[in-house]
Amino acid sequence: MKIRFTTLFLLVLLCQTAQSATPPFFRLEVTTNKWSYGNRDSFLNGIVQKTVLEQLDSIYKKTPGSYEFHYSKETNSLKVFIHCSFDFYTVVNGKLIKDYQFQNRGYTCGSSLFLKEGNYYLVGGRGFWTHHLDLFRFDSQAGSWEFTQTKNQALDYFPLGVFHSEKGTTALFGEYSNPRIPRLEKETQGFFLDWKLKTWLPIKLETGELNLSEIITSNPSYFLETQDYGLLVSNTQLPNLGWIVWVLVEKASGKLFLYEGPKSLEAINSPYKEVIENKFIYFEYNDDSNTEGKELTIDLEEVRQKSKEIGQITYLENPIEPENSSDKILVPGLFIGIFLLLGGVTGWWYVNRQKKSLPESLEEDEKEDETLLDKLLEHDGKKITTEEFDKILGIHEITNFDSKRIKRARLIKEINLRYEEKKGMGLITRIKNPEDKRFVYYKITF
């Protein structure tokens, strides 16, 4: 009898250990003031109270943006990271305690916050002048974020999405941006940070006949992370795949799944994004005042059951040499030296001409951006039809529907990214026509 009881006890203990192998995932991202659209008094099963959000709104009234909450059940601690800054808080008994003790602002728009081995980290980010994949650890004693050096880090790179597992961090797709060079390129695959080696390694997404890389990098795309999954969402409008594509990433195995059920993009523009384990809760609104709508839930466990496997993320073993390695610098440098020596005055004139043309081209781009921004701000708070919006963007004369749609989507994404880098929030919002949801309006919110 004692043996049976002991065996049963061990089985129960093993089951509990297996279930708790992956810590429960509690995340909440809200936008200043707009979180109130859902008329909720709390989030994350009562862990985040309305009063805490009101405190943050008061603090960041002049610099509105987004707040990201992380709750750790193991330590019973609630943290808040303020995007596009280094501000970091602990919530104790409904009050904010500021952990970050300095006033620096960094390139931390879109950074991924995660807890590893008892420490909080940030990875990746973007700002007005740079994209990066830097890793920062929060030093609680010093009250500061400390740079953590990694090997083979890609320069000027900001990923589309990041997810974390026991082995390390996976960064998917994204782009390289550095206006000083200038540089603007797409990343067609991604990288993996081996946590033990602190080394970035390349990855490859193998999806057979489905060119996932082409889909994601050529269309407005987004990424959401839950406890066990990552969700890639792309607004493709491809005839064979539909207007919207959902690809599920199983974090533990790296397997990829294509979901063919009903899909939407509304979760991306939600004023709050709440994740409890593998359930994603968001608020859908579609009227001009943005106050009427409904709360919806996406259960990625159910999505996984209704999806078909299409491929795998392969983690490669050989690192990619960093772009500033001595070999890559030596050869071009030698070539330029010989060229200048042989070219004489012509070479000198050419180099100086190139030096002058770069800032002039950057200034022209900045002037064009400012002109377009001024045009958009003239329509602050208004609902604009697609036809009117295309005229403002200067793409109304494009006759091909698909070309115009792709150009419009790319411009919206670029404008929102640049505006977010300056103001901490997007400028352009898509709103469905309540009378016919196949059509949308565009709203400018200054």
Side-chain angles (χ1 to χ4, degrees), residues 14-83:
L14 286 172
C15 289
Q16 290 178 341
T17 303
Q19 291 174 354
S20 62
T22 302
F25 196 94
F26 293 89
R27 302 287 186 271
L28 172 68
E29 185 173 350
V30 300
T31 304
T32 306
N33 295 322
K34 293 183 180 180
W35 57 267
S36 60
Y37 294 166
N39 294 318
R40 290 181 55 172
D41 292 327
S42 65
F43 294 86
L44 299 181
N45 295 336
I47 296 171
V48 179
Q49 296 292 323
K50 177 181 178 180
T51 53
V52 173
L53 295 169
E54 290 173 340
Q55 290 177 57
L56 289 168
D57 286 350
S58 176
I59 295 171
Y60 297 98
K61 183 178 181 179
K62 294 183 179 180
T63 55
S66 64
Y67 325 133
E68 184 174 344
F69 290 82
H70 279 226
Y71 174 69
S72 171
K73 191 173 183 180
E74 290 74 19
T75 60
N76 191 31
S77 62
L78 179 62
K79 299 286 187 177
V80 192
F81 170 64
I82 312 302
H83 279 271

Side-chain angles (χ1 to χ4, degrees), residues 329-341:
I329 292 176
L330 179 60
V331 175
L334 182 61
F335 175 79
I336 292 172
I338 295 173
F339 174 79
L340 291 175
L341 182 62

Side-chain angles (χ1 to χ4, degrees), residues 42 65 83 98 115 142 158 189 229 240 307 328 352 354 436:
S42 65
H83 279 271
K98 193 172 184 181
L115 178 63
F158 177 72
Q189 301 295 322
Y229 302 100
N240 59 327
S307 303
K328 292 189 176 183
N352 278 272
Q354 290 297 99
D436 189 341

